[in-house]
Amino acid sequence: MSDSPRTPRFDDRARRDLYDQRVVVLDGPLDDDNGPLLATQVVALAARDPDADIAFWIHSPGGSVPAMLALRDLFRLVPCDVSTLVLGIAYSAGQFLLSAGTPGKRRALPHSRVLMHQGSSGIGGTAVDIELQADDLRHTRDTVLGLIAADTGQPVDRIFTDSLHDRWYSAAEALDYGFVDAVVDRFDQVVPRRGAVPTGFGVGR
């Protein structure tokens, strides 16, 4: 086995180039490290130009619930529209962020896949701890499912039922369900625009 370091396929330079074109990328799991970074990028781009769209590209198996809720809050707070695009997979938190984009500007590549589920609980500890954790989990679950219902136009009861078990959707099915507004069929639907002069909030500066 070679001891030479592996060259990243998607390095800081690529991220910086996309950032300068107002593209933010979630590639891989969403966690408490990249979540705040993505949030900072969204805020910085909105401050740079409050009228130009921000593109949020997703290829993710899911991840942190607090991070995804924070990002959705920012999608709604920033003055510009946030378009979302699933590049390959948008599972769990990835699905949540995909459908949280600005209505009319949520897209999927033709062979992408979307997964909706309620996630794992991870409950443990004493009986009192378990009861408190269960109450918090129910609150978080109900909040998330209510937001998915609001973003997709589906009734909360249907979202609850459909999310009880892992449920995968093709791009066409995701469109029909309301996760996205269109399946990409033209290059101009995904090509990023060149942003203004960088302000120093980019990646790897």
Side-chain angles (χ1 to χ4, degrees):
M1 181 179 295
S2 172
D3 292 330
S4 60
R6 185 176 66 87
T7 301
R9 295 186 179 183
F10 190 47
D11 60 13
D12 286 348
R13 180 175 179 177
R15 295 178 193 278
R16 183 167 58 246
D17 289 344
L18 286 170
Y19 175 87
D20 288 341
Q21 298 177 72
R22 300 184 67 80
V23 178
V24 177
V25 183
L26 169 59
D27 62 313
L30 177 67
D31 56 39
D32 294 327
D33 290 323
N34 63 3
L37 174 60
L38 295 170
T40 300
Q41 290 179 314
V42 169
V43 171
L45 287 171
R48 177 190 294 185
D49 186 344
D51 298 316
D53 288 9
I54 296 170
F56 194 94
W57 292 357
I58 301 165
H59 179 80
S60 175
S64 168
V65 172
M68 79 179 191
L69 287 170
L71 280 164
R72 187 191 185 279
D73 287 344
L74 287 173
F75 287 2
R76 295 298 183 273
L77 284 173
V78 295
C80 48
D81 289 349
V82 179
S83 66
T84 54
L85 170 69
V86 50
L87 298 174
I89 59 171
Y91 294 172
S92 192
Q95 169 271 303
F96 182 86
L97 291 173
L98 174 66
S99 58
T102 300
K105 297 185 177 183
R106 307 168 304 171
R107 299 183 178 91
L109 292 181
H111 293 96
S112 55
R113 301 281 284 176
V114 176
L115 166 68
M116 180 173 66
H117 68 180
Q118 292 188 20
S120 58
S121 61
I123 291 179
T126 66
V128 173
D129 289 338
I130 290 173
E131 183 177 358
L132 291 172
Q133 291 176 58
D135 287 342
D136 182 64
L137 284 168
R138 277 192 292 270
H139 171 75
T140 301
R141 178 202 64 193
D142 292 347
T143 297
V144 169
L145 296 183
L147 292 172
I148 295 174
D151 291 341
T152 60
Q154 297 288 350
V156 174
D157 289 348
R158 182 177 182 185
I159 296 294
F160 179 86
T161 301
D162 290 345
S163 65
L164 285 173
H165 304 285
D166 288 354
R167 186 178 179 92
W168 284 268
Y169 300 81
S170 67
E173 290 168 339
L175 173 62
D176 182 65
Y177 201 87
F179 294 128
V180 297
D181 305 297
V183 177
V184 173
D185 58 7
R186 299 192 320 274
F187 180 62
D188 64 359
Q189 294 173 332
V190 298
V191 63
R193 66 177 288 273
R194 175 61 63 181
V197 176
T199 61
F201 289 101
V203 178
R205 298 196 185 278

CSV table of all heavy atoms in Angstrom, one decimal, residues 57-60 84-91 94-95 98 106-115 167-175 179-185 190:
chain,number,residue,atom,x,y,z
A,57,TRP,N,-25.8,23.0,-3.7
A,57,TRP,CA,-25.7,21.7,-4.4
A,57,TRP,C,-25.6,20.6,-3.3
A,57,TRP,O,-24.8,20.8,-2.4
A,57,TRP,CB,-24.6,21.7,-5.4
A,57,TRP,CG,-24.8,22.6,-6.6
A,57,TRP,CD1,-25.9,23.3,-6.9
A,57,TRP,CD2,-23.8,22.8,-7.6
A,57,TRP,NE1,-25.7,24.0,-8.1
A,57,TRP,CE2,-24.5,23.7,-8.6
A,57,TRP,CE3,-22.6,22.3,-7.9
A,57,TRP,CZ2,-23.8,24.1,-9.7
A,57,TRP,CZ3,-21.9,22.8,-9.1
A,57,TRP,CH2,-22.6,23.6,-9.9
A,58,ILE,N,-26.2,19.5,-3.5
A,58,ILE,CA,-26.3,18.5,-2.5
A,58,ILE,C,-25.9,17.1,-3.1
A,58,ILE,O,-26.5,16.7,-4.1
A,58,ILE,CB,-27.7,18.4,-1.9
A,58,ILE,CG1,-28.1,19.7,-1.3
A,58,ILE,CG2,-27.8,17.2,-0.9
A,58,ILE,CD1,-29.6,19.8,-1.0
A,59,HIS,N,-25.0,16.5,-2.4
A,59,HIS,CA,-24.7,15.0,-2.6
A,59,HIS,C,-24.4,14.5,-1.3
A,59,HIS,O,-23.2,14.5,-0.8
A,59,HIS,CB,-23.6,14.8,-3.6
A,59,HIS,CG,-23.3,13.4,-3.8
A,59,HIS,ND1,-24.0,12.6,-4.7
A,59,HIS,CD2,-22.3,12.6,-3.3
A,59,HIS,CE1,-23.5,11.3,-4.7
A,59,HIS,NE2,-22.5,11.3,-3.8
A,60,SER,N,-25.4,14.0,-0.5
A,60,SER,CA,-25.2,13.8,0.9
A,60,SER,C,-26.1,12.6,1.4
A,60,SER,O,-27.3,12.5,1.0
A,60,SER,CB,-25.6,15.0,1.7
A,60,SER,OG,-25.5,14.8,3.1
A,84,THR,N,-31.8,24.9,-4.9
A,84,THR,CA,-31.2,23.7,-4.5
A,84,THR,C,-31.1,22.7,-5.6
A,84,THR,O,-32.0,22.7,-6.5
A,84,THR,CB,-31.9,23.1,-3.3
A,84,THR,OG1,-33.3,22.9,-3.6
A,84,THR,CG2,-31.8,24.0,-2.0
A,85,LEU,N,-30.1,21.8,-5.6
A,85,LEU,CA,-29.9,20.8,-6.6
A,85,LEU,C,-29.4,19.6,-6.0
A,85,LEU,O,-28.3,19.7,-5.3
A,85,LEU,CB,-29.0,21.4,-7.7
A,85,LEU,CG,-28.5,20.4,-8.8
A,85,LEU,CD1,-29.7,20.0,-9.7
A,85,LEU,CD2,-27.4,21.0,-9.6
A,86,VAL,N,-30.0,18.4,-6.3
A,86,VAL,CA,-29.4,17.2,-5.8
A,86,VAL,C,-28.6,16.6,-7.0
A,86,VAL,O,-29.1,16.5,-8.1
A,86,VAL,CB,-30.5,16.1,-5.4
A,86,VAL,CG1,-31.6,16.0,-6.4
A,86,VAL,CG2,-29.8,14.8,-5.1
A,87,LEU,N,-27.3,16.4,-6.7
A,87,LEU,CA,-26.4,16.0,-7.8
A,87,LEU,C,-26.4,14.5,-8.0
A,87,LEU,O,-26.3,14.0,-9.1
A,87,LEU,CB,-24.9,16.4,-7.4
A,87,LEU,CG,-24.7,17.9,-7.3
A,87,LEU,CD1,-23.3,18.2,-6.8
A,87,LEU,CD2,-24.9,18.6,-8.7
A,88,GLY,N,-26.6,13.7,-6.9
A,88,GLY,CA,-26.6,12.3,-6.9
A,88,GLY,C,-27.6,11.7,-5.9
A,88,GLY,O,-28.5,11.1,-6.2
A,89,ILE,N,-27.3,12.0,-4.6
A,89,ILE,CA,-28.2,11.5,-3.6
A,89,ILE,C,-28.5,12.7,-2.6
A,89,ILE,O,-27.6,13.5,-2.3
A,89,ILE,CB,-27.6,10.4,-2.8
A,89,ILE,CG1,-26.2,10.7,-2.1
A,89,ILE,CG2,-27.4,9.1,-3.7
A,89,ILE,CD1,-25.7,9.7,-1.2
A,90,ALA,N,-29.7,12.7,-2.1
A,90,ALA,CA,-30.1,13.6,-1.1
A,90,ALA,C,-30.9,12.8,-0.1
A,90,ALA,O,-32.1,12.6,-0.2
A,90,ALA,CB,-31.0,14.8,-1.6
A,91,TYR,N,-30.2,12.3,0.9
A,91,TYR,CA,-30.9,11.4,1.9
A,91,TYR,C,-31.0,12.1,3.2
A,91,TYR,O,-30.2,12.9,3.6
A,91,TYR,CB,-30.0,10.1,2.1
A,91,TYR,CG,-29.8,9.2,0.9
A,91,TYR,CD1,-29.0,8.1,1.0
A,91,TYR,CD2,-30.6,9.4,-0.2
A,91,TYR,CE1,-28.8,7.2,-0.1
A,91,TYR,CE2,-30.5,8.5,-1.3
A,91,TYR,CZ,-29.6,7.4,-1.2
A,91,TYR,OH,-29.4,6.6,-2.3
A,94,GLY,N,-30.2,15.6,3.8
A,94,GLY,CA,-30.0,16.1,2.4
A,94,GLY,C,-31.3,16.3,1.7
A,94,GLY,O,-31.5,17.3,1.0
A,95,GLN,N,-32.3,15.4,2.0
A,95,GLN,CA,-33.6,15.6,1.4
A,95,GLN,C,-34.3,16.8,2.0
A,95,GLN,O,-35.0,17.6,1.4
A,95,GLN,CB,-34.5,14.4,1.7
A,95,GLN,CG,-36.0,14.5,1.5
A,95,GLN,CD,-36.7,15.1,2.7
A,95,GLN,OE1,-36.7,14.5,3.8
A,95,GLN,NE2,-37.4,16.2,2.6
A,98,LEU,N,-32.8,19.9,0.4
A,98,LEU,CA,-33.3,20.0,-1.0
A,98,LEU,C,-34.6,20.6,-1.1
A,98,LEU,O,-34.9,21.5,-1.8
A,98,LEU,CB,-33.3,18.6,-1.6
A,98,LEU,CG,-33.8,18.4,-3.0
A,98,LEU,CD1,-32.9,19.2,-4.0
A,98,LEU,CD2,-34.0,17.0,-3.4
A,106,ARG,N,-36.0,24.4,-7.0
A,106,ARG,CA,-35.5,23.2,-6.4
A,106,ARG,C,-35.4,22.1,-7.5
A,106,ARG,O,-36.5,21.9,-8.1
A,106,ARG,CB,-36.3,22.7,-5.2
A,106,ARG,CG,-36.6,23.8,-4.2
A,106,ARG,CD,-37.7,23.4,-3.2
A,106,ARG,NE,-38.9,23.1,-3.9
A,106,ARG,CZ,-40.0,22.6,-3.3
A,106,ARG,NH1,-40.0,22.3,-2.0
A,106,ARG,NH2,-41.1,22.3,-4.0
A,107,ARG,N,-34.2,21.6,-7.8
A,107,ARG,CA,-34.1,20.7,-8.9
A,107,ARG,C,-33.4,19.4,-8.6
A,107,ARG,O,-32.6,19.3,-7.6
A,107,ARG,CB,-33.3,21.5,-10.0
A,107,ARG,CG,-34.1,22.7,-10.5
A,107,ARG,CD,-33.3,23.4,-11.7
A,107,ARG,NE,-34.0,24.5,-12.2
A,107,ARG,CZ,-33.8,25.8,-11.8
A,107,ARG,NH1,-32.9,26.0,-10.8
A,107,ARG,NH2,-34.5,26.8,-12.3
A,108,ALA,N,-33.5,18.4,-9.5
A,108,ALA,CA,-32.8,17.2,-9.3
A,108,ALA,C,-32.3,16.8,-10.7
A,108,ALA,O,-32.9,17.0,-11.7
A,108,ALA,CB,-33.8,16.1,-8.8
A,109,LEU,N,-31.1,16.2,-10.7
A,109,LEU,CA,-30.6,15.6,-11.9
A,109,LEU,C,-31.4,14.3,-12.2
A,109,LEU,O,-31.9,13.7,-11.3
A,109,LEU,CB,-29.1,15.3,-11.7
A,109,LEU,CG,-28.1,16.5,-11.7
A,109,LEU,CD1,-26.7,16.0,-11.5
A,109,LEU,CD2,-28.3,17.4,-12.9
A,110,PRO,N,-31.5,14.0,-13.4
A,110,PRO,CA,-32.4,12.9,-13.8
A,110,PRO,C,-32.3,11.6,-13.1
A,110,PRO,O,-33.2,10.9,-12.8
A,110,PRO,CB,-32.2,12.7,-15.3
A,110,PRO,CG,-31.7,14.1,-15.8
A,110,PRO,CD,-30.9,14.6,-14.6
A,111,HIS,N,-31.0,11.2,-12.8
A,111,HIS,CA,-30.8,9.9,-12.1
A,111,HIS,C,-30.5,10.0,-10.6
A,111,HIS,O,-29.9,9.1,-10.1
A,111,HIS,CB,-29.8,9.1,-12.9
A,111,HIS,CG,-30.2,8.7,-14.3
A,111,HIS,ND1,-29.9,9.4,-15.4
A,111,HIS,CD2,-31.0,7.6,-14.7
A,111,HIS,CE1,-30.5,8.8,-16.4
A,111,HIS,NE2,-31.1,7.7,-16.0
A,112,SER,N,-30.8,11.1,-10.1
A,112,SER,CA,-30.5,11.3,-8.6
A,112,SER,C,-31.6,10.6,-7.8
A,112,SER,O,-32.6,10.2,-8.3
A,112,SER,CB,-30.5,12.8,-8.3
A,112,SER,OG,-31.7,13.4,-8.7
A,113,ARG,N,-31.3,10.4,-6.5
A,113,ARG,CA,-32.2,9.7,-5.6
A,113,ARG,C,-32.4,10.5,-4.4
A,113,ARG,O,-31.5,11.1,-3.9
A,113,ARG,CB,-31.6,8.3,-5.3
A,113,ARG,CG,-31.4,7.4,-6.5
A,113,ARG,CD,-32.7,6.7,-7.0
A,113,ARG,NE,-33.1,5.7,-6.1
A,113,ARG,CZ,-34.2,5.0,-6.3
A,113,ARG,NH1,-35.1,5.3,-7.2
A,113,ARG,NH2,-34.5,4.0,-5.4
A,114,VAL,N,-33.6,10.4,-3.8
A,114,VAL,CA,-34.0,11.1,-2.6
A,114,VAL,C,-34.5,10.1,-1.6
A,114,VAL,O,-35.2,9.2,-2.0
A,114,VAL,CB,-35.0,12.2,-2.9
A,114,VAL,CG1,-35.5,12.9,-1.6
A,114,VAL,CG2,-34.5,13.2,-3.9
A,115,LEU,N,-34.1,10.2,-0.4
A,115,LEU,CA,-34.5,9.4,0.7
A,115,LEU,C,-35.1,10.2,1.8
A,115,LEU,O,-34.5,11.1,2.3
A,115,LEU,CB,-33.3,8.5,1.3
A,115,LEU,CG,-33.6,7.8,2.6
A,115,LEU,CD1,-34.6,6.7,2.4
A,115,LEU,CD2,-32.3,7.3,3.2
A,167,ARG,N,-37.6,5.4,2.6
A,167,ARG,CA,-38.4,5.5,1.4
A,167,ARG,C,-37.6,6.2,0.4
A,167,ARG,O,-37.3,7.4,0.6
A,167,ARG,CB,-39.8,6.1,1.7
A,167,ARG,CG,-40.7,6.1,0.5
A,167,ARG,CD,-42.0,6.8,0.9
A,167,ARG,NE,-43.0,6.8,-0.2
A,167,ARG,CZ,-43.9,5.8,-0.4
A,167,ARG,NH1,-44.0,4.8,0.3
A,167,ARG,NH2,-44.7,6.0,-1.5
A,168,TRP,N,-37.3,5.6,-0.7
A,168,TRP,CA,-36.5,6.2,-1.8
A,168,TRP,C,-37.4,6.7,-2.9
A,168,TRP,O,-38.4,6.1,-3.2
A,168,TRP,CB,-35.5,5.2,-2.3
A,168,TRP,CG,-34.3,5.0,-1.4
A,168,TRP,CD1,-33.1,5.6,-1.4
A,168,TRP,CD2,-34.2,4.0,-0.4
A,168,TRP,NE1,-32.2,5.1,-0.5
A,168,TRP,CE2,-32.9,4.1,0.2
A,168,TRP,CE3,-35.0,3.0,0.1
A,168,TRP,CZ2,-32.4,3.3,1.2
A,168,TRP,CZ3,-34.6,2.2,1.2
A,168,TRP,CH2,-33.3,2.4,1.7
A,169,TYR,N,-36.9,7.8,-3.5
A,169,TYR,CA,-37.7,8.4,-4.6
A,169,TYR,C,-36.7,8.7,-5.8
A,169,TYR,O,-35.6,9.2,-5.6
A,169,TYR,CB,-38.3,9.8,-4.2
A,169,TYR,CG,-39.2,9.7,-3.0
A,169,TYR,CD1,-38.8,9.6,-1.7
A,169,TYR,CD2,-40.6,9.7,-3.2
A,169,TYR,CE1,-39.7,9.5,-0.6
A,169,TYR,CE2,-41.5,9.6,-2.1
A,169,TYR,CZ,-41.0,9.5,-0.9
A,169,TYR,OH,-41.9,9.4,0.2
A,170,SER,N,-37.2,8.3,-6.9
A,170,SER,CA,-36.5,8.7,-8.1
A,170,SER,C,-36.6,10.2,-8.3
A,170,SER,O,-37.4,10.9,-7.6
A,170,SER,CB,-37.0,8.0,-9.4
A,170,SER,OG,-38.3,8.4,-9.6
A,171,ALA,N,-35.9,10.8,-9.3
A,171,ALA,CA,-36.1,12.2,-9.6
A,171,ALA,C,-37.5,12.5,-10.0
A,171,ALA,O,-38.1,13.5,-9.5
A,171,ALA,CB,-35.1,12.7,-10.7
A,172,ALA,N,-38.1,11.7,-10.8
A,172,ALA,CA,-39.5,11.9,-11.2
A,172,ALA,C,-40.4,11.8,-10.0
A,172,ALA,O,-41.4,12.6,-9.9
A,172,ALA,CB,-39.9,11.0,-12.3
A,173,GLU,N,-40.2,10.8,-9.2
A,173,GLU,CA,-41.1,10.7,-8.0
A,173,GLU,C,-40.9,11.8,-7.0
A,173,GLU,O,-41.8,12.3,-6.4
A,173,GLU,CB,-40.7,9.3,-7.3
A,173,GLU,CG,-41.2,8.1,-8.1
A,173,GLU,CD,-40.6,6.8,-7.6
A,173,GLU,OE1,-39.6,6.8,-6.9
A,173,GLU,OE2,-41.2,5.8,-8.0
A,174,ALA,N,-39.6,12.3,-6.9
A,174,ALA,CA,-39.4,13.5,-6.0
A,174,ALA,C,-40.1,14.7,-6.5
A,174,ALA,O,-40.6,15.5,-5.7
A,174,ALA,CB,-37.9,13.7,-6.0
A,175,LEU,N,-40.2,14.8,-7.8
A,175,LEU,CA,-40.9,16.0,-8.4
A,175,LEU,C,-42.4,15.8,-8.1
A,175,LEU,O,-43.1,16.8,-7.7
A,175,LEU,CB,-40.7,16.0,-9.9
A,175,LEU,CG,-41.5,17.0,-10.8
A,175,LEU,CD1,-41.3,18.4,-10.3
A,175,LEU,CD2,-41.3,16.8,-12.2
A,179,PHE,N,-40.7,17.3,-3.4
A,179,PHE,CA,-39.3,17.6,-2.9
A,179,PHE,C,-38.6,18.6,-3.8
A,179,PHE,O,-37.8,19.4,-3.4
A,179,PHE,CB,-38.5,16.4,-2.8
A,179,PHE,CG,-39.0,15.4,-1.8
A,179,PHE,CD1,-39.2,14.0,-2.2
A,179,PHE,CD2,-39.2,15.7,-0.5
A,179,PHE,CE1,-39.6,13.1,-1.2
A,179,PHE,CE2,-39.6,14.8,0.4
A,179,PHE,CZ,-39.8,13.5,0.1
A,180,VAL,N,-38.9,18.5,-5.1
A,180,VAL,CA,-38.3,19.4,-6.1
A,180,VAL,C,-39.4,20.0,-7.0
A,180,VAL,O,-40.5,19.5,-7.1
A,180,VAL,CB,-37.2,18.7,-6.9
A,180,VAL,CG1,-36.1,18.2,-6.1
A,180,VAL,CG2,-37.8,17.5,-7.7
A,181,ASP,N,-39.0,21.0,-7.8
A,181,ASP,CA,-39.9,21.6,-8.7
A,181,ASP,C,-39.6,21.3,-10.2
A,181,ASP,O,-40.5,21.5,-11.0
A,181,ASP,CB,-39.8,23.2,-8.6
A,181,ASP,CG,-40.0,23.6,-7.1
A,181,ASP,OD1,-41.1,23.4,-6.6
A,181,ASP,OD2,-39.1,24.2,-6.5
A,182,ALA,N,-38.5,20.7,-10.4
A,182,ALA,CA,-38.1,20.3,-11.8
A,182,ALA,C,-37.0,19.3,-11.8
A,182,ALA,O,-36.2,19.2,-10.9
A,182,ALA,CB,-37.7,21.6,-12.6
A,183,VAL,N,-37.0,18.5,-12.9
A,183,VAL,CA,-35.9,17.6,-13.2
A,183,VAL,C,-35.1,18.3,-14.3
A,183,VAL,O,-35.6,18.7,-15.3
A,183,VAL,CB,-36.4,16.2,-13.6
A,183,VAL,CG1,-35.2,15.3,-14.0
A,183,VAL,CG2,-37.3,15.6,-12.5
A,184,VAL,N,-33.8,18.4,-14.0
A,184,VAL,CA,-32.9,19.1,-14.9
A,184,VAL,C,-32.9,18.5,-16.3
A,184,VAL,O,-32.7,17.3,-16.4
A,184,VAL,CB,-31.5,19.2,-14.4
A,184,VAL,CG1,-30.5,19.8,-15.4
A,184,VAL,CG2,-31.5,20.0,-13.1
A,185,ASP,N,-33.1,19.3,-17.4
A,185,ASP,CA,-33.0,18.8,-18.7
A,185,ASP,C,-32.3,19.8,-19.6
A,185,ASP,O,-32.1,19.5,-20.8
A,185,ASP,CB,-34.4,18.5,-19.3
A,185,ASP,CG,-35.3,19.7,-19.3
A,185,ASP,OD1,-34.9,20.8,-19.0
A,185,ASP,OD2,-36.5,19.5,-19.7
A,190,VAL,N,-28.4,24.7,-14.4
A,190,VAL,CA,-27.5,24.4,-13.4
A,190,VAL,C,-26.2,25.2,-13.5
A,190,VAL,O,-25.5,25.3,-12.5
A,190,VAL,CB,-27.1,22.9,-13.3
A,190,VAL,CG1,-28.3,22.0,-13.1
A,190,VAL,CG2,-26.4,22.4,-14.6
